[in-house]
Each structure stands twice: as C-alpha cells, then as structure tokens.
Amino acid sequence: LAVTEFQAAFFPSSSVTHSSLLVTWGHWDNTMVIRSVCSEPSTLKLHHPPLNRISCCQLVCNGQMLVSAGTVGVVSFWELINTNKQPLAYSGNVHHLRGHDGSVTCLVACKPYSIVVSGSTDGTCIIWDTNRLCYVNSLTNHEGPINCLAISPTLGDIATVCLTRRESQNRSKSSQQCLLYLWTINGRLVKQIKSDVQILSLCYTSAPEGVYINVIITGMANGTIRFLSSWDLSLLCELPCPYDSAPVLSLAVSSCSTKLYAGYSNMNVVTWIKPESDLDENG
C-alpha cells in the first residue's frame, strides 16, 4: 500500500499473460499515469481532455482496456496493449460515451457479465457493454447524487447508494442520510431502504451460488460494517469499529469469500476472517 498526493488504483492481473497495473490520476496536467508491475515494468501516460477532470477509473477486458470518467459526465474507453512480452502501450483507439448530465462519481466493472456501471451526481447509473462499447440501460429515480455502487459477480444484480437530505424541524440542523437500492441487471428495482448512517463503501461476496448465499457488505461513516441480505436488504449482522468511529472508506472480499478487507479513514487496513469452523450457508 502507498499513500500519495494523487488518487491511485491497483488492478492485479487475473492472467499470467497480462501485467498488473497501477493507475494514478489527479495530476496537474490531467493525465492518467499507468505503470505495469512485471519483470520489465513500463510507464504510460494518457492525456484526458483538460475540461474533464478525472474522478475514477476501472480496468476491463483482461487488462486490455482502461475505463475513465470525470466531471463532464463522459465515460472513456482506452484500448491498451498489455502483455508480459512487450512494454505497456496505448493502441491509439479511445471511445467516448455520453449519457450523464453530471459528474461521474464512481465506476464499477463486472467481468463475468462484461459490463461497467457508472454513477453520477445527476442521480442516475448507466450500464455500459464493454464488448460492444455501447449503452445498455439506465438506473433512474434516485433521490440524490450517487455515492457508491457494487455489482454481484454471480448474479449481475446492482446495489447503488445515493445521498439525500433529512430535514428536521430546525432546517439549520438538517443532516444527510443514504438510500440503498437493489436492482436486477435488467434495471428492475427490487428493494429500497433508508440508512440514517451514511454508507461510504459497499461490495458483494462471490461464493458459488447454490452452495452459499451471498451478501451485500456496507462500510458505514461511523466505522461499523453491516452485512445485508442480497435478496431483500434485511440486516444480517454488524461488525463493530475497531477504532474510534473511523469511517470505512473501502471494502474488498477475497475470491474464496472467507476474508474481508476494510480500509479506514485513519489509513489502517483491517482483515476480518471467518473461522473455518463457523462456515454456514451465508457466503
């Protein structure tokens, strides 16, 4: 792990033929700097349009395409040449797709379903096809800007979080709350719940369907971690904060769904492990 003045994301390789990549953005010239992590590392710079400040990125297509988005609502697909046998390179092809009316706040990719979902301050999420590089569907009717989202790698369901204002009798004391939505991959709304504590991060478990029941995990602003049913968003259990109410900024689950990694605002990463003797039907 590294702490820098830039925003960064690490994308581990899922194949021995492609390199793992470290991507940084937020540079003064609005470039994305991509570094391959292999026996012969190389560096590549991609220049984003100056008026479209980069806000997030994702790697798709087995490391052969980088998806970026920014403040003008455009989602860009950059075709890369990424193999272990030659230096990292840009093919020269980029596809700019428009659909949002506001800044893009989050991007999540789902390899099994070949989609990327973008969330925006305009209160919409858009599903993009990474094979055909085209628009698929929109998730609308959110009551506020999209804060974060997650995609189930086993079912393709999509969980989205938007921010909204909770008014009190004294308007000067109005506070912010969250709405959590559950959608099918076809854009049908399944369930919607309110949360008085802001949800800052969320993810799905990816255990084999039929053997385990996968869950949605949410990282809260008060430092707790909640496990929710992926069917109806009911609360299953809650993990306490190991620190003094440090917000949970990021979550990741191991491929075997037995370890949960949580990143807190105090720059600590905690690994939660499920004992082997305590395995049950929940993923």
Side-chain angles (χ1 to χ4, degrees), residues 120-142:
S120 171
T121 56
D122 64 8
T124 66
C125 293
I126 295 181
I127 305 173
W128 309 94
D129 188 320
T130 58
N131 290 330
R132 296 180 296 168
L133 300 181
C134 66
Y135 167 91
V136 176
N137 205 349
S138 293
L139 309 178
T140 59
N141 298 324
H142 293 91

Short mmCIF file of all heavy atoms in Angstrom, two decimals, residues 120-142:
data_model
loop_
_atom_site.label_atom_id
_atom_site.label_comp_id
_atom_site.label_asym_id
_atom_site.label_seq_id
_atom_site.Cartn_x
_atom_site.Cartn_y
_atom_site.Cartn_z
N SER A 120 -23.50 8.88 -11.10
CA SER A 120 -23.26 10.30 -11.34
C SER A 120 -23.99 11.18 -10.32
O SER A 120 -24.92 10.73 -9.63
CB SER A 120 -23.72 10.67 -12.75
OG SER A 120 -23.71 12.06 -12.97
N THR A 121 -23.57 12.44 -10.26
CA THR A 121 -24.25 13.42 -9.42
C THR A 121 -25.63 13.76 -9.94
O THR A 121 -26.42 14.39 -9.23
CB THR A 121 -23.42 14.71 -9.33
OG1 THR A 121 -23.19 15.22 -10.65
CG2 THR A 121 -22.09 14.46 -8.64
N ASP A 122 -25.95 13.36 -11.17
CA ASP A 122 -27.29 13.62 -11.71
C ASP A 122 -28.33 12.63 -11.19
O ASP A 122 -29.50 12.68 -11.58
CB ASP A 122 -27.28 13.63 -13.24
CG ASP A 122 -26.89 12.28 -13.85
OD1 ASP A 122 -26.78 11.29 -13.10
OD2 ASP A 122 -26.66 12.21 -15.07
N GLY A 123 -27.90 11.69 -10.31
CA GLY A 123 -28.83 10.74 -9.72
C GLY A 123 -29.13 9.53 -10.58
O GLY A 123 -30.11 8.82 -10.33
N THR A 124 -28.31 9.27 -11.58
CA THR A 124 -28.52 8.10 -12.43
C THR A 124 -27.29 7.21 -12.44
O THR A 124 -26.17 7.67 -12.20
CB THR A 124 -28.84 8.50 -13.89
OG1 THR A 124 -27.69 9.15 -14.46
CG2 THR A 124 -30.03 9.43 -13.96
N CYS A 125 -27.52 5.94 -12.73
CA CYS A 125 -26.44 4.99 -13.03
C CYS A 125 -26.68 4.46 -14.43
O CYS A 125 -27.83 4.23 -14.83
CB CYS A 125 -26.44 3.83 -12.02
SG CYS A 125 -26.00 4.29 -10.34
N ILE A 126 -25.61 4.27 -15.17
CA ILE A 126 -25.72 3.76 -16.54
C ILE A 126 -24.90 2.48 -16.67
O ILE A 126 -23.77 2.40 -16.20
CB ILE A 126 -25.24 4.80 -17.57
CG1 ILE A 126 -26.16 6.02 -17.55
CG2 ILE A 126 -25.18 4.20 -18.97
CD1 ILE A 126 -25.78 7.10 -18.55
N ILE A 127 -25.51 1.49 -17.29
CA ILE A 127 -24.85 0.22 -17.58
C ILE A 127 -24.28 0.28 -18.99
O ILE A 127 -25.01 0.57 -19.95
CB ILE A 127 -25.82 -0.97 -17.46
CG1 ILE A 127 -26.49 -0.96 -16.07
CG2 ILE A 127 -25.12 -2.29 -17.70
CD1 ILE A 127 -27.60 -2.00 -15.93
N TRP A 128 -22.96 0.00 -19.12
CA TRP A 128 -22.28 0.03 -20.41
C TRP A 128 -21.78 -1.37 -20.74
O TRP A 128 -21.32 -2.10 -19.87
CB TRP A 128 -21.08 0.99 -20.38
CG TRP A 128 -21.38 2.36 -19.86
CD1 TRP A 128 -21.23 2.81 -18.57
CD2 TRP A 128 -21.87 3.48 -20.60
NE1 TRP A 128 -21.60 4.12 -18.47
CE2 TRP A 128 -21.99 4.57 -19.70
CE3 TRP A 128 -22.21 3.68 -21.94
CZ2 TRP A 128 -22.44 5.83 -20.09
CZ3 TRP A 128 -22.66 4.94 -22.33
CH2 TRP A 128 -22.77 5.99 -21.41
N ASP A 129 -21.87 -1.74 -22.02
CA ASP A 129 -21.38 -3.02 -22.51
C ASP A 129 -19.90 -2.86 -22.90
O ASP A 129 -19.58 -2.06 -23.79
CB ASP A 129 -22.20 -3.46 -23.73
CG ASP A 129 -21.87 -4.86 -24.19
OD1 ASP A 129 -20.69 -5.25 -24.19
OD2 ASP A 129 -22.81 -5.59 -24.57
N THR A 130 -19.01 -3.60 -22.24
CA THR A 130 -17.58 -3.45 -22.52
C THR A 130 -17.14 -4.21 -23.76
O THR A 130 -16.03 -3.99 -24.25
CB THR A 130 -16.75 -3.93 -21.32
OG1 THR A 130 -17.06 -5.30 -21.04
CG2 THR A 130 -17.05 -3.08 -20.08
N ASN A 131 -17.96 -5.10 -24.29
CA ASN A 131 -17.62 -5.81 -25.53
C ASN A 131 -17.99 -4.98 -26.76
O ASN A 131 -17.19 -4.84 -27.68
CB ASN A 131 -18.31 -7.17 -25.58
CG ASN A 131 -17.75 -8.15 -24.58
OD1 ASN A 131 -16.57 -8.10 -24.24
ND2 ASN A 131 -18.59 -9.06 -24.10
N ARG A 132 -19.18 -4.42 -26.75
CA ARG A 132 -19.65 -3.64 -27.89
C ARG A 132 -19.41 -2.14 -27.71
O ARG A 132 -19.65 -1.36 -28.64
CB ARG A 132 -21.14 -3.90 -28.12
CG ARG A 132 -21.47 -5.34 -28.51
CD ARG A 132 -22.96 -5.52 -28.73
NE ARG A 132 -23.72 -5.28 -27.48
CZ ARG A 132 -25.04 -5.14 -27.43
NH1 ARG A 132 -25.75 -5.17 -28.55
NH2 ARG A 132 -25.63 -4.96 -26.27
N LEU A 133 -18.98 -1.74 -26.51
CA LEU A 133 -18.73 -0.33 -26.19
C LEU A 133 -19.95 0.52 -26.50
O LEU A 133 -19.91 1.47 -27.30
CB LEU A 133 -17.51 0.18 -26.95
CG LEU A 133 -16.19 -0.54 -26.67
CD1 LEU A 133 -15.06 0.07 -27.48
CD2 LEU A 133 -15.86 -0.53 -25.20
N CYS A 134 -21.05 0.19 -25.83
CA CYS A 134 -22.29 0.90 -26.08
C CYS A 134 -23.14 0.97 -24.81
O CYS A 134 -22.88 0.27 -23.83
CB CYS A 134 -23.09 0.23 -27.21
SG CYS A 134 -23.68 -1.43 -26.79
N TYR A 135 -24.14 1.83 -24.85
CA TYR A 135 -25.10 2.00 -23.77
C TYR A 135 -26.02 0.78 -23.69
O TYR A 135 -26.45 0.25 -24.72
CB TYR A 135 -25.90 3.27 -24.02
CG TYR A 135 -27.13 3.45 -23.17
CD1 TYR A 135 -27.07 4.11 -21.95
CD2 TYR A 135 -28.37 2.96 -23.60
CE1 TYR A 135 -28.20 4.29 -21.17
CE2 TYR A 135 -29.51 3.13 -22.83
CZ TYR A 135 -29.42 3.79 -21.61
OH TYR A 135 -30.54 3.96 -20.85
N VAL A 136 -26.35 0.35 -22.46
CA VAL A 136 -27.26 -0.78 -22.27
C VAL A 136 -28.55 -0.34 -21.59
O VAL A 136 -29.65 -0.57 -22.10
CB VAL A 136 -26.60 -1.91 -21.45
CG1 VAL A 136 -27.60 -3.04 -21.19
CG2 VAL A 136 -25.36 -2.44 -22.16
N ASN A 137 -28.43 0.30 -20.42
CA ASN A 137 -29.63 0.65 -19.66
C ASN A 137 -29.28 1.72 -18.63
O ASN A 137 -28.11 1.95 -18.32
CB ASN A 137 -30.18 -0.59 -18.95
CG ASN A 137 -31.67 -0.49 -18.66
OD1 ASN A 137 -32.25 0.59 -18.79
ND2 ASN A 137 -32.28 -1.59 -18.25
N SER A 138 -30.32 2.36 -18.09
CA SER A 138 -30.14 3.36 -17.04
C SER A 138 -30.92 2.96 -15.80
O SER A 138 -32.02 2.41 -15.89
CB SER A 138 -30.63 4.74 -17.51
OG SER A 138 -29.82 5.25 -18.54
N LEU A 139 -30.33 3.24 -14.64
CA LEU A 139 -31.00 3.05 -13.36
C LEU A 139 -31.34 4.44 -12.85
O LEU A 139 -30.45 5.20 -12.44
CB LEU A 139 -30.08 2.31 -12.37
CG LEU A 139 -29.44 1.02 -12.88
CD1 LEU A 139 -28.53 0.41 -11.81
CD2 LEU A 139 -30.50 0.02 -13.31
N THR A 140 -32.61 4.79 -12.87
CA THR A 140 -33.04 6.15 -12.58
C THR A 140 -33.85 6.20 -11.28
O THR A 140 -33.94 5.22 -10.54
CB THR A 140 -33.86 6.71 -13.75
OG1 THR A 140 -35.00 5.86 -13.96
CG2 THR A 140 -33.03 6.74 -15.03
N ASN A 141 -34.45 7.36 -11.04
CA ASN A 141 -35.32 7.60 -9.89
C ASN A 141 -34.59 7.59 -8.55
O ASN A 141 -35.21 7.41 -7.50
CB ASN A 141 -36.48 6.58 -9.84
CG ASN A 141 -37.39 6.69 -11.05
OD1 ASN A 141 -37.62 7.78 -11.55
ND2 ASN A 141 -37.88 5.54 -11.53
N HIS A 142 -33.27 7.77 -8.56
CA HIS A 142 -32.56 8.01 -7.30
C HIS A 142 -32.92 9.40 -6.80
O HIS A 142 -33.14 10.32 -7.60
CB HIS A 142 -31.05 7.91 -7.50
CG HIS A 142 -30.56 6.53 -7.84
ND1 HIS A 142 -30.44 6.09 -9.14
CD2 HIS A 142 -30.17 5.50 -7.04
CE1 HIS A 142 -29.99 4.84 -9.14
NE2 HIS A 142 -29.81 4.46 -7.89
#
